[in-house]
Amino acid sequence: MRPRPWRDHLPPGSSIDTPDLTARGSLPTAWAGVWGAHADRPLLYDAGAGPDARWVSAARFEEQTRRAAARFAELGLEAGDRVVWSMGSSLAAAVVNIGALRAGLVVVPANRLYTERELGHIVADVRPAAAVVDDPPRARWIEDASASAVPVLGPDLQVLRGVVPVDAARAAAVDAAPGDAPALIAYTSGTTGAPKGAVLTHANVLANSESVSLTWRWQPEDRLVHALPIFHGHGLCVALYTSLLVGASVVLLPSFDVDGVLDASDAHGATLFFGVPTMYHRIAASGRARELSRLRLAVSGSAPLAAELHGALERDAGTRVLERYGMTETLMTLSNPYDGERRAGTVGFPFPGVDAWIGEEPPPDAAVAREPAGTGVDAGTDAGTDAAEILVRGPTVFAGYWERPAASAERFAGSGWLRTGDMGSVDADGYVAIRGRRTDMVISGGYNVYPAEVEDALLAHPAVREVAVTGTPSDEWGEVVTAWVVADGPAPPAGDLLAFAAARLAPYKRPRQVHFVDALPRNAMGKVVRGALG
């Protein structure tokens, strides 16, 4: 099944072809042009700086990142060298990241919450030429994990550990990286095996920001309240990089809390907020949800947004949250439309330049030829009833896994199509709904059960705040459907939930076990870690 075509996202009267998304060569080249044209425009506000917080202009940020690029050159780093970057959300973190990209270095983002073992795996695997951290204990971890003497730098790019010869006369070639050069090596969450480094080129990240800005009508006048982890693709490639590309401004918060986001939105006249479902759930429960109505656009991603929560925010706050879908290997892939229905329980259709297909094998090229706007569902398909794997291709799809040719080959299905590992279905209007991960699928009595469908049914119960569905091994059934429930108040009898599900689901999809828990285990981006249940 084919979703609605990506041209349906374009503003009226606009025209674009896929090559246009990479025409500017690289983000550093495009950024430099934007900063030069709008030198006095406020760009970044570091709310974590407290009383010292000030707006940094485009000209000032250009100067700071150029100096960072020069500092990397002084320390002997060359284009193509890899730099582990493990910092919290701050102006200093943005300067280091952008400065490294301008110098042609390959940035390797690392979560500040990683344990010594997790960080050590990345360092040993990627073999960086340097690392930048804002927490001294991690400097020692990196040094211990490295097979060679890796210099570890602080936020000011001064050396914390290691001995580095400095050549102040050595100049940096700024903004010279070609589109096919690696820009980021972003490590996956490691849901199967050890985390792998996804290599994203300069063309990948540029195409992503060009496509997102077009789809969501991003303008220089926009102001984003940024409370996402800056190391993650959502917070880095979507929120920060795209803001810089269009010349918009960013209020950078050190972390998320409801009051901090809404107060900053009011104080700075924000127009945009991007979050994950957990954030929206907390906003909805805060009594301040109506303040979201001040924003032009509120976006949710990184995990499915419950249809019930989507409806509650529209009803109580007057906000139609725009849900989208992406992954480390593809960046932004599908989005509900900016103009038109933002359909609860779906992630819309492909971003400009992206082809998507719902099926076990890629289609013939003729089946996904460019066509005028209109429904993308093939005539004769039983749209919306069957789930299959989501396959995508386009200029945002990664180059492969770092030094893992076999793993890379497994992900590609031919003709540039990437197997996402996510299951989806297409409704009659061409909107895609995510039905869970292929690896999360429960097989009970020979039937495939997609956790997201069962979760959606249970979330309609008023006593259910959150739920995750897994499979429990069974000699009789292979697996039985098991629900892990966070109650909204006192836990109801498990039998009530089972009866509620029985009225909404086919017999083979119904939970046979219910466990009440205080909280669901989640990773840094709010995704439920199903492997930790049971």
Side-chain angles (χ1 to χ4, degrees):
M1 293 179 287
R2 181 181 59 233
R4 182 182 292 240
W6 59 257
R7 292 186 186 277
D8 284 7
H9 277 303
L10 298 180
S14 67
S15 176
I16 190 172
D17 289 321
T18 301
D20 296 333
L21 300 174
T22 57
R24 289 198 265 184
S26 72
L27 276 175
T29 299
W31 287 331
V34 172
W35 299 333
H38 304 284
D40 296 331
R41 188 185 297 276
L43 199 68
L44 284 173
Y45 183 90
D46 186 353
D52 296 327
R54 300 287 187 276
W55 277 103
V56 174
S57 70
R60 177 63 174 157
F61 190 71
E62 193 282 334
E63 176 189 353
Q64 290 177 320
T65 56
R66 184 179 290 270
R67 284 209 310 261
R71 175 60 176 167
F72 282 120
E74 287 180 356
L75 297 173
L77 276 72
E78 300 179 347
D81 283 345
R82 298 168 298 283
V83 177
V84 169
W85 172 72
S86 183
M87 303 180 70
S89 296
S90 66
L91 173 62
V95 167
V96 169
N97 182 287
I98 305 304
L101 292 181
R102 298 190 72 185
L105 304 176
V106 184
V107 177
V108 184
N111 189 342
R112 291 176 78 248
L113 300 179
Y114 279 157
T115 64
E116 183 174 1
R117 180 188 61 81
E118 291 167 321
L119 185 57
H121 165 74
I122 291 175
V123 172
D125 189 57
V126 83
R127 304 183 307 281
V132 187
V133 303
D134 57 7
D135 181 24
R138 289 200 305 282
R140 179 182 56 77
W141 295 354
I142 290 170
E143 188 177 57
D144 291 346
S146 174
S148 58
V150 173
V152 185
L153 316 175
D156 57 0
L157 297 185
Q158 298 304 307
V159 179
L160 296 177
R161 299 184 78 91
V163 178
V164 189
V166 176
D167 182 359
R170 192 168 181 273
V174 179
D175 307 335
D180 60 356
L184 302 172
I185 299 178
Y187 275 76
T188 63
S189 57
T191 54
T192 56
K196 300 181 291 292
V199 179
L200 295 162
T201 67
H202 279 275
N204 291 151
V205 292
L206 172 63
N208 180 72
S209 287
E210 294 276 24
S211 184
V212 168
S213 64
L214 185 67
T215 301
W216 295 343
R217 315 295 193 262
W218 218 320
Q219 300 296 321
E221 295 74 27
D222 277 316
R223 179 159 292 171
L224 170 70
V225 172
H226 189 312
L228 292 162
I230 201 171
F231 65 85
H232 191 271
H234 194 172
L236 184 64
C237 298
V238 182
L240 180 62
Y241 287 177
T242 311
S243 290
L244 298 178
L245 179 68
V246 301
S249 53
V250 179
V251 178
L252 199 58
L253 301 179
S255 60
F256 171 82
D257 71 81
V258 172
D259 291 337
V261 165
L262 297 177
D263 290 349
S265 173
D266 181 35
H268 294 284
T271 61
L272 304 173
F273 172 69
F274 302 159
V276 300
T278 301
M279 295 178 179
Y280 284 105
H281 179 84
R282 292 175 183 172
I283 290 172
S286 71
R288 299 184 63 181
R290 184 163 294 279
E291 296 178 47
L292 288 175
S293 63
R294 290 194 297 254
L295 302 171
R296 177 179 71 79
L297 180 63
V299 175
S300 180
S302 297
L305 183 73
E308 291 293 317
L309 180 55
H310 187 285
L313 288 167
E314 183 169 5
R315 181 183 65 250
D316 300 338
T319 297
R320 292 187 307 138
V321 174
L322 188 152
E323 190 172 6
R324 57 75 177 168
Y325 161 83
M327 58 191 302
T328 302
E329 292 88 345
T330 66
L331 298 177
M332 293 296 96
T333 303
L334 306 167
S335 174
N336 269 271
Y338 182 82
D339 298 315
E341 183 185 359
R342 300 173 192 173
R343 188 164 296 181
T346 80
V347 289
F349 41 93
F351 276 95
V354 176
D355 289 326
W357 186 262
I358 313 299
E360 295 308 311
E361 295 297 332
D365 285 344
V368 287
R370 299 290 185 262
E371 60 181 53
T375 181
V377 180
D378 285 352
T381 60
D382 190 9
T385 60
D386 296 318
E389 187 168 12
I390 301 171
L391 283 70
V392 301
R393 70 177 179 183
T396 63
V397 173
F398 80 142
Y401 293 113
W402 169 252
E403 295 186 336
R404 284 175 170 79
S408 301
E410 281 183 12
R411 294 304 297 269
F412 286 95
S415 300
W417 289 98
L418 179 87
R419 300 185 185 278
T420 66
D422 287 314
M423 307 297 288
S425 61
V426 183
D427 69 18
D429 296 318
Y431 284 66
V432 175
I434 305 299
R435 299 302 183 192
R437 291 287 294 171
R438 177 178 288 280
T439 52
D440 291 338
M441 185 172 64
V442 179
I443 302 177
S444 184
Y447 289 98
N448 294 345
V449 180
Y450 300 99
E453 183 178 4
V454 182
E455 291 162 359
D456 284 347
L458 291 174
L459 282 167
H461 192 288
V464 176
R465 177 184 299 172
E466 296 180 297
V467 61
V469 167
T470 65
T472 298
S474 165
D475 291 339
E476 181 178 3
W477 298 99
E479 290 180 297
V480 295
V481 179
T482 302
W484 305 80
V485 176
V486 178
D488 192 4
D496 287 0
L497 289 184
L498 296 177
F500 185 83
R504 289 161 174 79
L505 296 167
Y508 71 91
K509 298 178 183 177
R510 297 170 189 168
R512 293 174 180 267
Q513 297 181 12
V514 175
H515 301 288
F516 290 98
V517 293
D518 293 333
L520 298 177
R522 297 179 182 274
N523 66 15
M525 287 306 297
K527 293 183 179 180
V528 174
V529 183
R530 297 177 193 273
L533 293 166

